[in-house]
Every structure is written in C-alpha cells, then in structure tokens.
Amino acid sequence: MATTPASAMRSLDRAFDVLGVLEDTRQPLRLSEVARRAELHVATAQRILNVLIERGYAAKEETGYVAGPAAVATAHAFLVNNRLSQVALPVLQELAATTSLTASLYVRVGHFRVLIARVQGRNPLRYQLPIGEKLPLYLGAGKALAAWLPDAELHSLIEQSAPFTRVSGEHVTAEDLAADLDQVRKAGYALSLSERAVNVTAVSAPIRHAEDVLGALSIAGPSSELTETDHTRLIGEVCRAADAIAARCP
C-alpha cells in the first residue's frame, strides 16, 4: 500500500514525539515508558526508536533508551548558523561585565524556553545550566517570552501550566498567571524572585523585532545580594541590552 501524505505526516509527528520524550528525560527509559509518554503503541514506538538509533538520534543503553549523538550535531549546526546568538554574544558579555551577574539568552520552543547562550558574571550562580537546557515558559525568564504569545497560545499555556507552586512555596492559579503575564507585557520586562530556584533573582526582557519576539535576555544573581534599588538599575540594563540585540538583527 502506498504511503499517503497524511500518513507520512503522522509518522513524522510520532517520530518527533519520541524525540521529545528522549529530550526531556534525565535517565534512560524503557521501551514501555517511551511508548507511554509519547502516547504510542509499544510496537510503533519500537519501530520509531529503531530508525532513530540507525540515524544516531537515539541510543540504546543497558537500562533503556536515551537521546543519541546526532542531536548534538544538530544543536551545533543551529548555534553556528543562528544569527540571534551571534549578534547577542558581545551584548551578553558586556551585560555580564557591567552587572557582574550571569547573562543568558533563550528562545521559545513550544511551551518551553531553550538556553542558547550564556556568559558568567563575576558573581556566578551556584548552579550551572548547560546550553540546550529546556525550561518552562511560565517561570522566570520564560515569562518574557510567554507574555507576547498570541491569545490562543497564551490561553493554552495557562490552561496546561496552572495551577502550580513556585520553588518559593507560592501557589499560582490560572488567574494569577494570567495577571502576572499581563503585567509583564505592560511593563516590558519580567522580575522573578525565587520562582524556579531558591534565592535567585532574575530580570528578563523580550528581544522584539517589529512584531516578532526573537528571544528573551535575562540576568540572574543571588537574591540575598540584590536590593530593590538594584532591581531598578538591572531592569534598565537588561531592557537596553535587549533593544541593542534587536537593533542588530536583520
């Protein structure tokens, strides 16, 4: 039986679903777990994994399946060719030097943000995020991306994310999140206090080019070392840096 365009698209979607499962895991997954998370029949998941292994996008270890080395090559190709990260790097370096805080650049992938560039300041964070780390849109710097989503996507994000509890212990309802993102859009920046990590303050701003949001620029540091006066200064620094990156983009 010939493959129809519709069935080919379904197969492609399923393959990306399996890749997404492998991206999100922090440990090898058994076949049954991959199938469950991808919402596929076990036999279908096995066929897809076999193809991904052959192409290097998945690997089978003794305890289960993990993402393969070809994913690294794909990520490298993106970083080498991505104009945003190229023009943003000197701005991130200057921002980290000026504020002494860690400066990061994120882009949106679905309902997540992905770290594509980072420069450590003189006061580095106690935790390290690797390039390619995928984090939620509804916390921290993600809000500088989420606030400018089209209405339908914004509603979907809020519906899927809330309610949740920030690391600070603050419970956030759907109404709270909607109001928070509305305020971020009006202000033009996001200020986050211990939302994803304890004792971490982050200031983030969207990189806007015409009607598009290309990414989010963020700086973060220990809350115990930053006063409200610092917040005002850092907000100005981040917004100016985000505008500088946007001005350099074609």
Side-chain angles (χ1 to χ4, degrees):
M1 181 180 295
T3 300
T4 66
S7 63
M9 285 301 297
R10 284 196 298 273
S11 296
L12 185 59
D13 283 342
R14 290 168 177 170
F16 278 120
D17 288 341
V18 171
L19 270 175
V21 168
L22 298 180
E23 278 181 5
D24 292 342
T25 186
R26 293 296 180 267
Q27 59 186 11
L29 295 177
R30 296 190 179 279
L31 172 61
S32 59
E33 184 61 15
V34 174
R36 185 188 70 80
R37 296 189 186 189
E39 300 181 350
L40 296 172
H41 190 279
V42 170
T44 303
Q46 182 68 82
R47 288 196 298 271
I48 292 172
L49 283 167
N50 289 342
V51 174
L52 294 177
I53 289 171
E54 182 180 346
R55 297 296 183 94
Y57 286 94
K60 190 175 189 305
E61 298 186 349
E62 185 176 343
T63 53
Y65 294 92
V66 296
V72 180
T74 301
H76 176 70
F78 167 78
L79 293 173
V80 168
N81 293 290
N82 179 251
R83 179 65 175 163
L84 177 62
S85 59
Q86 292 172 2
V87 301
L89 184 57
V91 179
L92 263 69
Q93 292 170 334
E94 182 178 353
L95 184 62
T98 301
T99 64
S100 299
L101 303 178
T102 299
S104 303
L105 177 65
Y106 298 92
V107 294
R108 182 173 76 90
V109 178
H111 285 176
F112 295 88
R113 56 183 161 114
V114 175
L115 178 66
I116 65 169
R118 169 165 276 205
V119 176
Q120 297 287 359
R122 289 192 296 274
N123 298 321
L125 296 168
R126 286 188 293 178
Y127 65 87
Q128 300 293 320
L129 286 179
I131 299 300
E133 184 76 7
K134 190 159 73 171
L135 300 168
L137 277 185
Y138 57 86
L139 291 172
K143 296 188 298 184
L145 294 168
W148 278 267
L149 287 173
D151 289 344
E153 288 186 69
L154 182 60
H155 178 75
S156 175
L157 171 68
I158 293 172
E159 188 176 61
Q160 292 180 28
S161 305
F164 63 91
T165 302
R166 292 172 176 153
V167 73
S168 62
E170 180 185 5
H171 183 71
V172 180
T173 66
E175 293 74 16
D176 295 332
L177 180 57
D180 192 11
L181 294 177
D182 183 58
Q183 176 57 34
V184 169
R185 184 168 185 138
K186 289 176 179 176
Y189 66 88
L191 173 64
S192 308
L193 308 174
S194 294
E195 289 194 2
R196 196 185 61 81
V198 175
N199 190 37
V200 172
T201 292
V203 177
S204 315
I207 300 168
R208 304 184 64 196
H209 189 272
E211 298 300 316
D212 297 324
V213 176
L214 305 181
L217 179 63
S218 176
I219 55 173
S223 300
S224 56
E225 299 178 12
L226 298 173
T227 66
E228 287 192 21
T229 302
D230 293 319
H231 295 172
T232 301
R233 175 177 60 85
L234 296 175
I235 288 166
E237 295 280 2
V238 171
C239 290
R240 282 191 292 273
D243 289 343
I245 294 173
R248 300 182 187 188
C249 289

